[in-house]
Each structure stands twice: as C-alpha cells, then as structure tokens.
Amino acid sequence: MTNLNCFGRHRRRTAPHNAAGSSSELVAPPIHSRINGWSLPLHSFQFIALLIYSFMAIVAFGIYVPLLPAPWSYAAYALIGSAFVLHLFSHVTAVTIDPADVNVRRRKDYSSPMPTFDNTKHPHVIDNLHCTLCEVDVSPKAKHCSTCNKCIANFDHHCKWLNNCVGGRNYWFFFTAVSSAVIGVILLFPLVLFVFIEHYVNPAVLRTAPQFQTVKGNGTWLVFLPVAPVETSSISLLVVSFITALLALASLLLLCHLLCFHIYLLSQGISTYEYIVRKRQSPNPKEKQQVPAALPSNGATAQSLELQEPPVNCDAPLSSRSCTFKLEDRGPMPEPICAEMDESNGGHHLSYSSESATQMIAGESAMSLPVVWSLSGTERPQAVGRVEVKPVEGRPVVQDPLGSSIMDTALVHQQLMTEQPQYLHFKQKMP
C-alpha cells in the first residue's frame, strides 16, 4: 500500500515534483502586489535590524556617552547622534517608498489580484518593454520582482533587511542608510573600548557626573544619566560592554563589505542585478585551464610529432610540390624525390616516384611504380604483394610533410626494385 505524505512537499509549489531531483522550485507569486516594505508579510530580517539598532542606540546614549567627561560627552552626542538619526530617517524612508515603475504607480490598483504568468504566450514576464503581469509598458531598466510582484524602475536588488525592493526611487536612501550605519558603528566601537579600559585603569574619569556623589562605593555605577539614573554593578557594565563590542565588530564587517561593494558598483556604473548577470555569463578561469589542447587534425600522434625533422628543400620550383626525403642508392646520389599533391577526384594523397624505379620497354610507354601515402597516415599500396614499410633500427627515419607516415628510404627503394618485375610480367599479359 502506498503511503501518502502530506508534509513532504512544498506547500507553495505550483508544478509537479521534478523526478530528476532538481533543487529549483517553482513558487507561486503573491496574490496581490506589495506596496512597500511595510506590506504584509513582514520579513524576519526587518525585526533583527530594528532590534540591533535599538540596542545600539540604548547602550550608546543611555550608558556610554553619559560616562564621558563634559567636553567629550557633548561631541559624542552630536556626532553619534547625527549618524543614528540619519540612519533611522534614511532606513525608514527606503522602506516606505514605493519603488515601482511610474506606469505601475499610476494605476494605483494594488487591491486587485495579479494575473498569472503564461509562458506559452510570452517567453518572458517583460516582453518588448511590456510587462504581461502588470499589463503596462515599463522603462528599459525595469525588472519584475517576484517577491513584490511588480515592476521596479531601475531595479537594483530586493533587500530583505528593508523588506522592499531597491530601485531608482529609493536607492540613494538605501545607500545613505548603509553609509550612516557604518559611520555610527565606527564612532561607537572606540567609545565602548574606552569605557571598558578606563573602568580598570582610571575609573574616576568615568564618574564625573554629579549623580555619582551620592553613590556609596566604587563598585556601583549609574546608567541612563542624567534623566533616570539607575544603579547597576560593575560586572553588569562590563558584560554589556563586551556584548556591544562583539556586536559592533560583526556589524562593522558586514556593513563595510556592503558599502564597498556598492561603491564599486557606482564606479562601474552598473546595478547589483547587472553585476550578477555578468558574473553568471563570464567563464570560470579554472575551466579555461582544464580545457585539453587540440590534437592534430591529420591523426598524427605525439610521438610522431616529436620525431618530425625539418624537410629537405627540392631544387624544382615549389608550386604544389614539397620535398620530403632522398632515396639512398648504392651508386651515385640520385635526384631528390618530391611529393606531388594529387587533387583528382576530390581526394588528396602524396605520390612518391623516382627515375630509378622506371624501366623502358620496346614498344611500350614508360611505366613508373609510384608509392602512395594518404594524408590520414595510412599506407595505400598500388601494387600487388605490397608489404608494410617499417623503420629499421640504425637507419634514418623520415616523415612526410604532414607528419602522417614514417618511412625508411632504403626499404622503400628495395621494395620498388622488388616489385618492378611483377609489374612488367603483368603488363606483358595484358592484351
């Protein structure tokens, strides 16, 4: 009996389960388009970002800045306060702004359900600058966000921390939020270290507020000065300082990485989406190194290529002839044998001939005994009883111009002299 498991499938899947086990899943788009980052459902990263900001603001202006001496506390309130206020304003603005395309915003009908995309009618969501889901014409750099389910003008990316898309309308608010967060954390981190170190070196520097005059003992500290002084222990102050330092360091690394990345994008004049597309299309340099070298097209092996020697030039003019070797004879040095490219019948082969292999018969025309080698490196005998020519140890080995055959000149000459009577006997029997 087949067991049906209702919890083993993704409940938002809109296509049958892929039998090949593909990790990609088709997720149904939202029924309604989202207006901005405050539209439901809210993302968990939004709460994490607000919690971190709230914690940093409370410990900075409620614990550490009031412990500084009078001149430095005013400067800390001004600098750190400006960075925190600027970040809060830009962050909220980036979340609140609707980054949709101008034609989508003109429709202002987010209450109606979004139609389902039919890929049988359109190859893409945006086809010829017309969105088939939003049913409006869009700008060239607009992209349809699947999370917000609407076309975003000058689409950069969808930010989970904002729960909103970052486009042309709110990009600079997003960039300002990241920059102000980096500045605020940079100013807060040395302040925490100063309080932590002075607590052991010189605690009197941190106890200059008038409220400390009524505190008995140096182990008691006051927080949330000067509005609502609350007594706390020295251990509690150090634990909070340690947690704040770790959190500020982790936030600083992440925010600096994000800020440097967007500064790079601005210098290149591209968006995050364009950067990702180029990164996917660019080949991997490691794959280029793993590509094997191309083998010779004529079938020659690496061993034959290593044995290749420079050819000997012929005395005859070189039009379609290329000299390869000279036959070795017992008598005086014969004339060089040259290879002719025979292009008859659409084929290419090399013909090797010599006058020493030609005999004149009375009443008959001169007959030569050519030995032919094809370009593919295989020997093609022209006479009956042809034997394979193999290199002999101790004799020079010569290769044809294309590196397809290795021949011993002495054996070739001997073979030609041996086969000559057979050709003559065959010729005499012909009518």
Side-chain angles (χ1 to χ4, degrees):
M1 183 177 179
T2 305
N3 295 327
L4 298 178
N5 185 8
C6 298
F7 302 98
R9 296 288 185 269
H10 202 293
R11 290 181 293 177
R12 297 181 63 192
R13 183 184 293 275
T14 59
H17 179 67
N18 188 4
S22 177
S23 59
S24 61
E25 294 184 353
L26 297 177
V27 180
I31 299 177
H32 300 278
S33 299
R34 303 175 67 253
I35 301 176
N36 50 30
W38 305 116
S39 301
L40 298 178
L42 299 179
H43 202 277
S44 59
F45 283 9
Q46 282 183 285
F47 298 99
I48 296 176
L50 293 176
L51 287 176
I52 294 176
Y53 176 83
S54 301
F55 177 80
M56 293 288 188
I58 291 173
V59 297
F61 302 106
I63 299 177
Y64 304 120
V65 176
L67 294 178
L68 295 178
W72 296 102
S73 61
Y74 299 144
Y77 276 121
L79 294 177
I80 301 178
S82 300
F84 273 69
V85 171
L86 180 60
H87 172 76
L88 181 62
F89 172 78
S90 58
H91 183 94
V92 173
T93 305
V95 174
T96 308
I97 288 180
D98 182 8
D101 190 83
V102 58
N103 293 329
V104 177
R105 288 184 283 108
R106 284 175 182 173
R107 188 179 61 178
K108 295 181 181 180
D109 189 11
Y110 291 100
S111 59
S112 61
M114 181 67 65
T116 305
F117 174 66
D118 188 2
N119 56 1
T120 60
K121 297 181 180 179
H122 305 279
H124 305 285
V125 177
I126 299 179
D127 191 10
N128 294 327
L129 299 181
H130 179 80
C131 181
T132 58
L133 294 182
C134 299
E135 298 179 348
V136 294
D137 295 334
V138 295
S139 58
K141 291 187 177 181
K143 302 297 177 183
H144 190 93
C145 177
S146 59
T147 304
C148 298
N149 203 9
K150 61 183 178 182
C151 289
I152 309 300
N154 297 325
F155 178 79
D156 187 85
H157 71 284
H158 182 85
C159 182
K160 297 180 180 179
W161 299 97
L162 302 178
N163 195 29
N164 195 13
C165 279
V166 177
R169 299 193 68 207
N170 61 346
Y171 179 82
W172 288 110
F173 291 100
F174 164 79
F175 186 82
T176 305
V178 176
S179 304
S180 58
V182 170
I183 296 174
V185 175
I186 289 177
L187 295 176
L188 180 60
F189 187 75
L191 174 61
V192 176
L193 291 181
F194 176 79
V195 173
F196 188 85
I197 294 173
E198 290 296 330
H199 176 271
Y200 291 100
V201 177
N202 189 9
V205 177
L206 305 176
R207 305 171 67 91
T208 57
Q211 289 80 3
F212 278 101
Q213 296 179 359
T214 59
V215 174
K216 297 179 181 180
N218 294 330
T220 303
W221 292 82
L222 297 177
V223 294
F224 303 110
L225 293 173
V227 180
V230 177
E231 293 184 0
T232 184
S233 62
S234 177
I235 297 177
S236 300
L237 181 65
L238 295 178
V239 169
V240 174
S241 301
F242 182 75
I243 295 174
T244 306
L246 291 180
L247 187 60
L249 182 60
S251 302
L252 186 61
L253 293 177
L254 296 176
L255 291 172
C256 285
H257 180 270
L258 182 61
L259 180 62
C260 293
F261 174 70
H262 278 275
I263 291 176
Y264 168 77
L265 294 180
L266 290 174
S267 64
Q268 297 295 322
I270 59 177
S271 62
T272 305
Y273 176 79
E274 294 172 346
Y275 173 82
I276 295 174
V277 171
R278 293 182 183 181
K279 199 71 174 178
R280 291 177 178 176
Q281 294 177 353
S282 61
N284 191 356
K286 294 183 180 179
E287 295 179 357
K288 291 183 179 181
Q289 299 176 0
Q290 296 178 357
V291 176
L295 295 177
S297 59
N298 57 358
T301 60
Q303 184 178 2
S304 64
L305 292 177
E306 293 178 358
L307 297 176
Q308 188 175 4
E309 297 179 359
V312 182
N313 295 329
C314 291
D315 297 334
L318 297 178
S319 58
S320 62
R321 303 167 57 89
S322 60
C323 178
T324 55
F325 64 92
K326 294 182 180 181
L327 288 179
E328 196 177 24
D329 198 0
R330 299 177 183 177
M333 182 65 65
E335 295 182 1
I337 297 178
C338 298
E340 294 188 4
M341 299 295 296
D342 187 2
E343 300 181 358
S344 61
N345 298 327
H348 298 270
H349 67 270
L350 300 176
S351 299
Y352 295 87
S353 61
S354 176
E355 295 180 0
S356 60
T358 306
Q359 183 177 2
M360 300 297 295
I361 304 176
E364 298 290 340
S365 59
M367 180 182 65
S368 62
L369 302 178
V371 181
V372 181
W373 286 267
S374 63
L375 291 178
S376 60
T378 58
E379 298 181 2
R380 187 174 57 184
Q382 298 293 329
V384 180
R386 175 72 176 174
V387 296
E388 184 180 0
V389 179
K390 297 182 179 179
V392 181
E393 185 176 0
R395 293 193 178 272
V397 179
V398 187
Q399 189 178 4
D400 62 32
L402 298 181
S404 60
S405 303
I406 300 176
M407 300 167 292
D408 188 357
T409 58
L411 289 178
V412 172
H413 183 71
Q414 183 179 1
Q415 185 68 26
L416 293 175
M417 300 301 298
T418 304
E419 295 176 354
Q420 183 177 0
Q422 298 178 1
Y423 273 86
L424 295 177
H425 181 69
F426 176 77
K427 185 68 177 178
Q428 292 174 2
K429 289 184 178 182
M430 293 180 59

